[in-house]
């Protein structure tokens, strides 16, 4: 099975750029109701993921008390706990599943490392459930 079958394309995914601020990130995550969001370089390459927990602990460490202060904090100044490793667009299902075990979503990149979208763990589980039911004859 081609992993692109599960892809949510970049055009439908919320993401931030490395040069955005803590406030911009908080607002984007709140608006889209995401618990973590991909970070891209200015030219569109995937560079990492930041989570609500990262933001919370970063704000605590930097003693950010209001949104006005958050405007002056570059998002790259916030440390990230987890590394969401991407898969290459030509990766196989085994590589995808290996990453999805420990990540809410798996970023997908092309040959040059440009972000093309994500594959959520939910989509993988839905597919596996459907295949399991099919195999059981339901």
């Amino acid at each position: 099975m081609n992993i692109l079958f599960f892809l949510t394309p970049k055009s439908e995914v919320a993401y931030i750029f490395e040069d955005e601020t803590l406030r911009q990130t908080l607002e984007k995550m709140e608006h889209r109701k995401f618990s973590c969001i991909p970070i891209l370089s200015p030219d569109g390459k995937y560079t990492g993921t930041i989570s609500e927990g990262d933001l919370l602990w970063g704000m605590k460490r930097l003693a950010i008390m209001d949104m006005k202060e958050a405007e002056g904090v570059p998002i790259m100044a916030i440390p990230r706990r987890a590394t969401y490793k991407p898969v290459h667009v030509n990766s196989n299902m085994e590589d995808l599943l290996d990453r999805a075990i420990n990540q809410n979503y798996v970023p997908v990149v092309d040959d040059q490392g440009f972000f093309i979208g994500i594959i959520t763990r939910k989509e993988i589980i839905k597919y596996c459930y459907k295949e399991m039911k099919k195999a059981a004859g339901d």
Side-chain angles (χ1 to χ4, degrees):
M1 156 110 0
N2 187 325
I3 69 166
L4 292 180
F5 174 78
F6 303 105
L7 185 77
T8 301
K10 179 181 177 181
S11 61
E12 297 175 23
V13 175
Y15 53 86
I16 58 167
F17 290 101
E18 292 173 332
D19 58 0
E20 293 189 49
T21 66
L22 173 59
R23 181 178 183 150
Q24 289 170 308
T25 304
L26 287 164
E27 288 175 347
K28 193 169 283 187
M29 287 175 75
E30 178 184 29
H31 175 73
R32 296 295 290 268
K33 295 178 178 42
F34 288 159
S35 60
C36 53
I37 192 167
I39 303 172
L40 309 183
S41 66
D43 64 353
K45 291 186 177 180
Y46 175 76
T47 61
T49 291
I50 195 153
S51 71
E52 288 175 327
D54 297 333
L55 298 177
L56 177 66
W57 294 116
M59 291 173 70
K60 180 181 186 275
R61 186 177 62 80
L62 297 171
I64 305 293
M65 297 299 162
D66 61 38
M67 292 302 274
K68 187 72 177 154
E69 287 180 72
E71 288 175 13
V73 178
I75 197 57
M76 297 308 283
I78 304 294
R80 289 171 273 147
R81 277 183 313 119
T83 303
Y84 275 56
K85 295 178 184 167
V87 293
H88 185 270
V89 68
N90 294 325
S91 293
N92 61 35
M93 195 65 174
E94 188 176 328
D95 292 337
L96 177 63
L97 290 171
D98 183 55
R99 299 281 162 76
I101 289 169
N102 298 309
Q103 300 174 186
N104 295 340
Y105 68 86
V106 180
V108 181
V109 297
D110 69 8
D111 290 337
Q112 285 81 44
F114 288 100
F115 178 74
I116 62 168
I118 64 170
I119 298 174
T120 64
R121 190 184 309 161
K122 178 180 178 178
E123 287 303 312
I124 296 168
I125 292 170
K126 280 175 26 182
Y127 171 78
C128 291
Y129 178 72
K130 191 168 60 176
E131 289 299 306
M132 186 179 72
K133 286 187 67 100
K134 219 189 289 182
D138 290 344

